[in-house]
């Protein structure tokens, strides 16, 4: 048997997926976001340049493709922010802020487990050209309202941290490096490498020994310059004003290099170890890294659709689920009446009635199927109906039958 590729999954019913996506689209439209699409393949060096050469995504998780003809390295996108930023620069977008969202599959070579796949779906939302703290506060509030009100996700938390400006990060990184080198700490091999090459990333480690070693580590928010410190206070004040509940997590650094200032994550204990279902922050230097020119401040977030679906699958009475259209089933009693049944189905569908034509099996099995589908009416066509130009309409709930003229069927069903 040929099986699916490890870490991928089939979605055999897209109803909830589409309902979630529709609710997200409706919600972000309230904040004046518009939808864009970027390619699934990009030049590998786009991600090497912007995500950071030492990040897990770039060192271990990229699905790269080699194009023989062009002699270039391409890859399946591991995330969309870099692609959106590339599109912003390449298309010389002038009207700021550029508030866009995009959604689709992302690819990372990870060790698969519940909520962690090699092909997964994200909605990526970006605001390019906004520097103000109020922009951060509104963006985070938009996400919080999305989860609490539009999607009604039960019991989640918002973790938030402030990474400071580039100077703060440089100063803090040195401080952290001194702490990591000078305290005889026991850390895992990965973190020993991180301590040298990308110290902030040690906070991502879930290993007990590393967590313990970091308990006394200096905190980023204690090393902020006065302007960043003021911004951080202002952000929290504005979130309080909007009644957004958050928890300050001083160890939240996020896995990618391009973040600065605010960083946040929405988490739920119901997801197990892969508890984050949305993460984001500010990335003021990203546009400059791509354009090689003056940067444009920006912020964004990526929402993991697979994990949001896992959360909602567990919940009852979802208000986002669309109500089902009533279903009509057309059943010819014999092969001779298939043409008549085809015409009737066609007519019903042209009048926008959801119609299923059952031509396989006996009348009995067809009625059983109609029942299973939850049909409202079964429309039976046999010898008598053919002769008299009628349809026998069976109410699938009460079992009652009536004879209706074929020419009146549409108005009857209405
Ligand atoms: P990131 O792009 O790593 O900041 O991730 C943003 C969100 O995407 C996370 O909070 C997850 O919900 C989701 N996500 C990231 N990686 C995966 C994965 N391998 N499988 C499923 N969801 C993922």
């Amino acid at each position: 048997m040929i099986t699916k590729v490890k870490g991928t999954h089939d979605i055999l019913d897209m109803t909830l997926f589409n309902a979630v996506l529709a609710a997200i689209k409706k919600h972000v439209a309230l904040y004046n976001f518009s939808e864009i699409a970027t390619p699934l393949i990009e030049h590998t060096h786009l991600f090497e340049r912007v995500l950071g050469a030492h990040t897990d995504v770039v060192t271990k998780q990229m699905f790269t493709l080699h194009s023989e003809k062009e002699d270039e390295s391409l890859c399946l996108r591991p995330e969309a922010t870099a692609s959106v930023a590339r599109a912003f620069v390449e298309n010389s977008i002038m009207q700021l802020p550029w508030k866009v969202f995009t959604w689709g599959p992302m690819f990372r070579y990870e060790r698969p487990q519940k909520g962690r796949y090699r092909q997964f779906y994200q909605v990526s939302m970006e605001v390019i050209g906004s520097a103000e703290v109020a922009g951060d506060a509104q963006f985070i509030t938009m996400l919080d309202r999305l989860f609490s009100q539009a999607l009604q996700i039960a019991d989640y938390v918002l973790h938030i941290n402030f990474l400071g400006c580039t100077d703060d990060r440089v100063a803090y990184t040195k401080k952290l490096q001194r702490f990591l080198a000078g305290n005889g700490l026991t850390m895992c091999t990965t973190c020993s490498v991180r301590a040298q090459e990308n110290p902030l990333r040690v906070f991502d480690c879930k290993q007990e020994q590393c967590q313990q070693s970091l308990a006394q580590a200096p905190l980023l928010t204690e090393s902020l310059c006065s302007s960043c410190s003021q911004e951080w206070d202002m952000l929290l004040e504005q979130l309080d004003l909007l009644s957004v509940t958050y928890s300050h997590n001083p160890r939240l650094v996020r896995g990618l290099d391009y973040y600065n200032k605010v960083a946040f994550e929405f988490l739920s204990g119901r997801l197990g170890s892969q508890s984050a279902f949305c993460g984001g922050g500010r990335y003021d230097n990203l546009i400059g890294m791509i354009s090689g020119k003056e940067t444009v401040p920006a912020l964004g977030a990526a929402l993991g659709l697979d994990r949001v679906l896992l959360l909602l699958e567990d919940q009852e009475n979802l208000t986002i689920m669309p109500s089902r259209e009533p279903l009509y089933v057309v059943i010819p009693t014999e092969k001779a009446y298939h043409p008549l049944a085809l015409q009737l189905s066609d007519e019903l569908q042209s009048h926008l009635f959801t119609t299923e034509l059952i031509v396989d099996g006996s009348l009995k099995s067809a009625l059983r199927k109609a029942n299973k589908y939850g049909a409202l009416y079964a429309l039976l066509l046999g010898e008598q109906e053919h002769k008299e130009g009628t349809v026998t309409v069976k109410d699938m709930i009460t079992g009652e039958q009536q004879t209706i003229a074929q020419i009146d069927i549409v108005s009857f069903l209405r």
Side-chain angles (χ1 to χ4, degrees):
M1 188 173 58
I2 301 174
T3 60
K4 60 184 179 294
V5 172
K6 189 174 173 187
T8 65
H9 56 289
D10 302 314
I11 308 174
L12 301 179
D13 182 348
M14 287 289 283
T15 314
L16 182 59
F17 188 109
N18 287 333
V20 168
L21 201 54
I24 295 173
K25 289 184 182 187
K26 195 171 154 196
H27 186 76
V28 298
L30 292 175
Y31 293 78
N32 206 20
F33 278 69
S34 49
E35 184 171 359
I36 63 161
T38 61
L40 265 59
I41 48 174
E42 294 278 359
H43 293 288
T44 309
H45 69 83
L46 169 68
F47 300 102
E48 285 170 348
R49 189 185 307 177
V50 305
L51 301 187
H54 300 292
T55 52
D56 284 355
V57 174
V58 167
T59 53
K60 294 188 267 182
Q61 298 176 344
M62 299 271 268
F63 279 96
T64 46
L65 317 153
H66 189 74
S67 157
E68 299 270 328
K69 285 205 182 108
E70 308 278 339
D71 191 25
E72 63 186 349
S73 178
L74 304 177
C75 70
L76 296 176
R77 62 180 182 187
E79 56 111 57
T81 300
S83 303
V84 173
R86 185 221 17 92
F88 172 83
V89 172
E90 193 172 347
N91 294 290
S92 311
I93 306 291
M94 297 303 221
Q95 205 177 345
L96 300 182
W98 199 46
K99 294 168 75 173
V100 293
F101 74 96
T102 189
W103 72 276
M106 309 293 153
F107 305 85
R108 292 183 199 171
Y109 192 87
E110 302 206 68
R111 198 167 43 78
Q113 65 181 93
K114 184 186 166 201
R116 187 164 73 189
Y117 312 107
R118 289 183 180 173
Q119 177 177 331
F120 57 99
Y121 294 83
Q122 278 186 345
V123 178
S124 193
M125 295 154 267
E126 325 288 345
V127 182
I128 301 180
S130 159
E132 287 295 331
V133 170
D136 298 2
Q138 191 185 40
F139 189 76
I140 294 170
T141 307
M142 172 181 84
L143 294 170
D144 188 55
R145 304 285 193 256
L146 170 66
F147 301 134
S148 65
Q149 293 172 9
L151 298 176
Q152 300 192 350
I153 296 177
D155 55 53
Y156 67 85
V157 289
L158 162 61
H159 282 186
I160 178 165
N161 195 17
F162 208 79
L163 311 178
C165 54
T166 313
D167 288 349
D168 291 347
R169 255 180 101 145
V170 171
Y172 174 74
T173 305
K174 281 190 189 142
K175 217 171 175 181
L176 180 65
Q177 243 166 349
R178 276 198 300 276
F179 169 83
L180 295 172
N183 287 281
L185 305 175
T186 43
M187 304 199 86
C188 70
T189 17
T190 314
C191 283
S192 305
V193 176
R194 283 171 172 160
Q196 298 299 319
E197 291 174 347
N198 200 350
L200 255 65
R201 205 82 334 109
V202 294
F203 290 114
D204 285 341
C205 190
K206 301 257 172 355
Q207 304 235 11
E208 187 63 34
Q209 53 174 344
C210 300
Q211 300 256 356
Q212 272 178 13
S213 298
L214 291 170
Q216 303 303 321
L219 299 181
L220 242 168
T221 38
E222 287 165 3
S223 310
L224 299 177
C225 64
S226 66
S227 138
C228 281
S229 193
Q230 266 178 15
E231 283 193 25
W232 173 224
D233 290 344
M234 214 190 311
L235 175 61
L236 297 185
E237 268 169 35
Q238 292 179 358
L239 291 176
D240 289 338
L241 181 75
L242 294 164
S243 308
V244 174
T245 309
Y246 56 80
S247 150
H248 174 209
N249 176 356
R251 304 193 187 287
L252 175 70
V253 290
R254 310 262 310 127
L256 310 174
D257 260 11
Y258 53 60
Y259 287 106
N260 67 311
K261 297 195 175 171
V262 66
F264 56 83
E265 252 173 10
F266 289 84
L267 311 112
S268 168
R270 287 192 285 136
L271 287 168
S273 66
Q274 299 304 311
S275 58
F277 59 89
C278 177
R282 205 160 247 294
Y283 49 87
D284 289 338
N285 299 316
L286 178 64
I287 302 293
M289 283 159 97
I290 293 175
S291 67
K293 298 184 189 145
E294 199 179 328
T295 198
V296 180
L299 76 151
L303 177 159
L305 270 174
D306 310 79
R307 294 189 194 169
V308 166
L309 292 174
L310 283 174
L311 287 172
L312 293 178
E313 274 162 14
D314 269 6
Q315 290 184 207
E316 283 171 11
N317 304 324
L318 293 179
T319 51
I320 54 164
M321 288 301 260
S323 53
R324 268 191 61 194
E325 287 291 317
L327 176 70
Y328 303 90
V329 166
V330 175
I331 306 174
T333 57
E334 282 173 57
K335 212 173 181 132
Y337 309 115
H338 283 189
L340 187 57
L342 280 168
Q343 281 177 307
L344 179 61
S345 306
D346 186 45
E347 190 187 352
L348 293 185
Q349 282 146 346
S350 72
H351 284 91
L352 308 182
F353 290 105
T354 307
T355 310
E356 172 76 44
L357 169 65
I358 305 183
V359 288
D360 296 290
S362 65
L363 174 62
K364 206 169 152 195
S365 82
L367 282 169
R368 222 180 294 129
K369 248 186 222 167
N371 221 349
K372 238 188 188 161
Y373 290 149
L376 193 60
Y377 287 112
L379 309 176
L380 310 175
L381 293 167
E383 191 185 347
Q384 198 178 343
E385 288 84 358
H386 178 58
K387 258 197 230 146
E388 294 173 357
T390 58
V391 186
T392 297
V393 179
K394 184 180 169 77
D395 184 319
M396 293 302 290
I397 299 162
T398 62
E400 271 170 36
Q401 293 198 172
Q402 319 181 44
T403 306
I404 307 292
Q406 284 167 17
I407 51 164
D408 293 335
I409 193 73
V410 167
S411 54
F412 170 79
L413 295 179
R414 277 224 177 95

